[in-house]
Amino acid sequence: MDPQDYGPFPFSPITRRPKLEWPGGARVALWVIPNLEFFPLTSSFARYGGKGAPNPRVWGERDYGNRVGVWRCMQVMERYGVPGTAATNSDLCDKHPEIIEEGVRLGWEFIGHNENNSMQLGEMPPEQEQASIRKVLDTIGAASGTRPAGWLSAGRQETWNTLDYLVGEDLLYVADWPNDDQPYLMDIGGRKLVQVPYSSEINDFQAFVTRRDTVDEFVAMTCRHFDVMYREGAESGRVMPISIHPYLMGLPHRIDAFDRILEYCCRHRDVWITTGAGIARNYLDACAGHRDAEKKS
């Protein structure tokens, strides 16, 4: 994609769109995005001052999520019948295959999320970025049995080439752009890519690391967010993303808050519990239906 002032999609006020209908007349499509991440102990992130000896505290906090936290999160999600759409570092497939195995058992979807969380796309030359994206998708596909249909960049950092590489790998959707409450279509050189809503706010990293929210504040905020999506979804379907990181949400003093959030959302009628691919495919079907209706009229 050439550099441009606006994204590869038309500006579209949410109040001027056809009604978006979810399966069964649901008001809200609920998807939960666990970020399954691997941080190499040899990376600058995990070393004192960017060099020298490893930093057990910084690195160990992240590793806790894979050794302990993710299993707590899986138990809570299974309790409410919520499948994860796991944004997955491909290195995790090799280093911690047990997590992938359990996710497969639970019916989770796995989407690309860079090779590891210390390797950003913007730090690579174009040819390396393209090869890295392909490696991520191939590795996750081999480990999970299904090649990913979606992508969430680590740190949600793209380059001007990223979307071209994603459509070149025949991906269905991306979730890097937090600018809407409904899916929309991107036009990438004449090829379509669905952007599925992902939230910078309903995100435990932003809550607990950036804003330093309390557990109760995050629960209250998430439930209020859901209430508005549910109310507006009576007129046209909305998406409710919940992004979690097991090294944060999987801690003993936070896991019950995650339980409270899912219990609150799932107790409502007309909530479609789904995955990113489910949202993207349903949206494409809805777009096709709108086009057919326009032709008939």
Side-chain angles (χ1 to χ4, degrees), residues 84-119:
T85 301
T88 306
N89 289 164
S90 60
D91 282 359
L92 186 133
C93 298
D94 298 324
K95 304 296 185 181
H96 309 315
E98 298 90 342
I99 298 175
I100 305 298
E101 292 168 6
E102 183 66 6
V104 170
R105 185 189 74 79
L106 294 171
W108 282 20
E109 176 189 358
F110 296 90
I111 63 175
H113 190 53
N114 292 32
E115 293 181 55
N116 58 62
N117 245 52
S118 298
M119 184 180 290

Side-chain angles (χ1 to χ4, degrees), residues 110-262:
F110 296 90
I111 63 175
H113 190 53
N114 292 32
E115 293 181 55
N116 58 62
N117 245 52
S118 298
M119 184 180 290
Q120 302 294 325
L121 298 181
E123 298 171 351
M124 305 176 188
E127 62 276 6
Q128 182 183 353
E129 179 187 2
Q130 185 175 26
S132 180
I133 288 172
R134 179 168 298 161
K135 178 181 178 181
V136 169
L137 300 174
D138 288 345
T139 300
I140 295 173
S144 68
T146 303
R147 201 167 191 266
W151 182 271
L152 177 72
S153 300
R156 281 172 288 154
Q157 295 182 17
E158 294 186 359
T159 72
W160 288 110
N161 300 308
T162 302
L163 297 177
D164 295 290
Y165 297 152
L166 296 182
V167 296
E169 294 296 331
D170 295 322
L171 287 193
L172 173 66
Y173 72 97
V174 65
D176 287 339
W177 302 60
N179 59 341
D180 215 305
D181 291 327
Q182 293 180 331
Y184 59 83
L185 286 177
M186 292 181 163
D187 186 340
I188 314 299
R191 301 184 66 177
K192 301 301 182 184
L193 189 66
V194 180
Q195 162 60 33
V196 175
Y198 183 91
S199 178
S200 296
E201 294 290 310
I202 309 305
N203 184 313
D204 59 0
F205 184 87
Q206 296 299 325
F208 301 131
V209 177
T210 303
R211 294 193 305 266
R212 300 293 182 180
D213 292 344
T214 67
V215 167
D216 289 340
E217 285 172 336
F218 183 65
V219 172
M221 181 183 72
T222 303
C223 293
R224 289 197 303 268
H225 188 106
F226 175 86
D227 288 344
V228 174
M229 294 297 97
Y230 192 77
R231 182 175 70 238
E232 294 178 347
E235 300 299 324
S236 185
R238 295 295 196 267
V239 175
M240 175 72 189
I242 301 176
S243 174
I244 65 167
H245 298 72
Y247 75 90
L248 295 171
M249 192 60 77
L251 290 169
H253 64 279
R254 292 188 181 128
I255 192 63
D256 287 348
F258 186 42
D259 191 294
R260 287 160 57 194
I261 288 169
L262 292 189

Side-chain angles (χ1 to χ4, degrees), residues 20 185 280-296:
L20 178 57
L185 286 177
R281 293 190 175 106
N282 186 270
Y283 177 71
L284 288 176
D285 290 343
C287 290
H290 293 149
R291 288 194 296 268
D292 290 343
E294 289 174 357
K295 290 179 181 178
K296 292 178 181 178

